[in-house]
């Protein structure tokens, strides 16, 4: 798989392609509308893990927001799959599952951050900024 | 059997949902046990099946007017029936998922099933007494129903 296009934003930092994965349309739209990081460009969204893998292969994102409870292929399985396809991918899990064990499992499978639903715009943007610190 | 502490978990989840998502707190009334029959439902109901260490269902039921305003508070301009159904399912999913903070990982939640306009399709288990958590938000009333073995 090819690397991202490497285009730079106004700050001179590399632009990053972002994919949103959630079975809720309103959450997908909310994340797209609310994210204000100048380095991120949303390249697509998917409503389950299977669709996410297909979209990943078409759009080659650098950053993914990932729900966990989804039909067809759940978020944990999808995290594992995406990490196997692109180990350097940055994944922010955005889920209502608030138990510590689930967050730990997601991180162990390769996610880089965890944001619990419900979330405010500020919490979303802070979580994305934290994720991009290493990018 | 659902304990008072477990009901408190759902009350806190409900309060938190409205505070964060709608940026406007809801008033949550005293939870009560329904001793006969099933609690009434509103126009839209989001149902989460519970399995694992506990079995049963949790559902959030609300009128369209309330869900429309809630969408607007979330800066969502598309208030179509599809998005209203999506929202009622997402509220049920979020409150149920948040409950795992106290119930743990073995409190397994399903993806939401949404029932609209047909209350007969909401069928909580008959052998378990449901707890109702009344929710008042702005001028609207809704309910969270917790029905766990």
């Amino acid at each position: 798989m090819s690397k991202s296009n490497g285009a730079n934003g106004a700050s001179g930092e590399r632009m990053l392609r972002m994919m949103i994965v959630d079975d809720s349309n309103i959450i997908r739209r909310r994340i797209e509308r609310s994210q204000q990081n100048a380095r991120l460009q949303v390249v697509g969204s998917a409503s389950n893990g299977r669709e996410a893998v297909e979209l990943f292969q078409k759009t080659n994102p650098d950053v993914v927001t990932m729900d966990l409870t989804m039909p067809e292929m759940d978020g944990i399985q999808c995290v594992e799959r995406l990490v196997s396809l692109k180990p350097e991918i940055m994944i922010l899990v955005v889920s209502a599952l608030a138990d510590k064990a689930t967050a730990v499992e997601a991180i162990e499978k390769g996610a880089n951050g965890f944001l619990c639903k419900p979330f405010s715009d500020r919490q979303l943007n802070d979580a994305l900024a934290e994720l991009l610190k290493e990018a | 059997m659902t304990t008072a502490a477990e009901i408190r978990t759902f009350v806190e989840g409900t309060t938190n949902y409205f505070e964060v998502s709608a940026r406007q707190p809801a008033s949550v009334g005293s939870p009560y046990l329904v001793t006969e029959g099933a609690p009434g439902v509103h126009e839209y109901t989001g149902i989460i099946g519970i399995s694992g260490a506990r079995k049963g269902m949790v559902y959030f039921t609300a009128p369209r007017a309330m869900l429309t305003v809630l969408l607007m508070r979330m800066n969502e301009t598309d208030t179509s029936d599809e998005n209203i159904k999506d929202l009622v399912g997402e509220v049920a999913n979020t409150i149920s998922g948040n409950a795992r903070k106290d119930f743990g990982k073995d409190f397994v939640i399903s993806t939401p099933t949404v029932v609209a306009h047909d209350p007969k399709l909401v069928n909580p288990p008959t052998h378990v007494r449901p707890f109702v958590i009344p929710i008042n938000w702005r001028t609207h009333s809704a309910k969270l129903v917790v029905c766990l073995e």
Side-chain angles (χ1 to χ4, degrees):
Chain A
M1 181 165 288
S2 64
K3 296 281 182 186
S4 66
N5 60 17
N8 289 343
S11 64
E13 292 176 301
R14 186 169 67 93
M15 289 295 289
L16 300 166
R17 300 154 65 81
M18 174 164 135
M19 176 171 79
I20 300 166
V21 186
D22 200 297
D23 62 343
S24 164
N25 179 49
I26 54 174
I27 296 294
R28 294 194 301 272
R29 284 168 55 94
R30 164 113 194 269
I31 292 173
E32 180 161 9
R33 202 170 48 240
S34 302
Q35 89 75 18
Q36 295 181 335
N37 194 300
R39 295 183 65 191
L40 292 174
Q41 174 198 10
V42 176
V43 293
S45 63
S47 63
N48 61 55
R50 184 187 50 75
E51 267 183 28
V53 172
E54 287 172 12
L55 186 63
F56 175 88
Q57 287 165 332
K58 287 181 193 153
T59 60
N60 187 27
D62 306 292
V63 175
V64 176
T65 68
M66 177 72 69
D67 188 15
L68 293 183
T69 309
M70 295 184 292
E72 299 202 42
M73 180 194 284
D74 71 29
I76 293 283
Q77 291 174 293
C78 190
V79 166
E80 271 191 294
R81 182 85 178 110
L82 297 189
V83 169
S84 74
L85 291 169
K86 185 174 181 176
E88 69 273 26
I89 195 159
M90 290 173 280
I91 302 176
L92 175 66
V93 170
V94 182
S95 171
L97 301 181
D99 59 293
K100 201 172 174 181
T102 298
V104 168
E105 185 184 6
I107 300 295
E108 283 175 354
K109 299 291 185 189
N112 306 80
F114 194 100
L115 174 64
C116 195
K117 294 179 185 174
F119 56 84
S120 64
D121 290 357
R122 182 175 179 172
Q123 287 167 331
L124 172 69
N125 282 296
D126 285 353
L128 287 169
E130 187 66 29
L131 191 77
L132 299 191
K133 270 185 181 169
E134 303 299 318
Chain B
M1 177 67 187
T2 310
T3 67
E6 288 171 345
I7 291 299
R8 200 156 46 242
T9 293
F10 287 100
V11 169
E12 286 169 5
T14 304
T15 306
N16 185 52
Y17 186 87
F18 282 87
E19 276 179 10
V20 176
S21 286
R23 292 166 286 121
Q24 200 167 46
S27 154
V28 176
S30 300
Y32 59 89
L33 188 63
V34 175
T35 52
E36 214 172 283
V41 296
H42 294 280
E43 259 174 298
Y44 293 86
T45 303
I47 303 167
I48 303 296
I50 307 296
S51 57
R54 304 297 294 270
K55 290 182 176 48
M57 65 162 66
V58 174
Y59 60 88
F60 173 72
T61 182
R64 184 184 177 97
M66 179 185 192
L67 296 164
T68 302
V69 179
L70 189 49
L71 273 181
M72 291 162 70
R73 290 289 300 172
M74 296 163 77
N75 298 322
E76 176 57 71
T77 53
D78 178 352
T79 56
S80 63
D81 205 52
E82 276 313 298
N83 268 1
I84 293 283
K85 288 188 212 168
D86 189 353
L87 176 62
V88 81
E90 186 62 19
V91 176
N93 172 69
T94 303
I95 296 171
S96 303
N98 286 183
R100 285 178 41 150
K101 178 170 57 106
D102 295 323
F103 282 80
K105 196 182 175 190
D106 293 334
F107 186 79
V108 180
I109 67 169
S110 71
T111 53
T113 302
V114 173
V115 171
H117 315 298
D118 193 352
K120 292 191 298 294
L121 297 178
V122 181
N123 295 308
T126 52
H127 61 290
V128 184
R129 288 180 178 178
F131 265 98
V132 174
I133 299 171
I135 303 161
N136 295 299
W137 184 67
R138 295 166 72 109
T139 58
H140 308 287
S141 298
K143 289 175 197 158
L144 185 79
V145 179
V146 179
C147 202
L148 297 175
E149 286 178 10

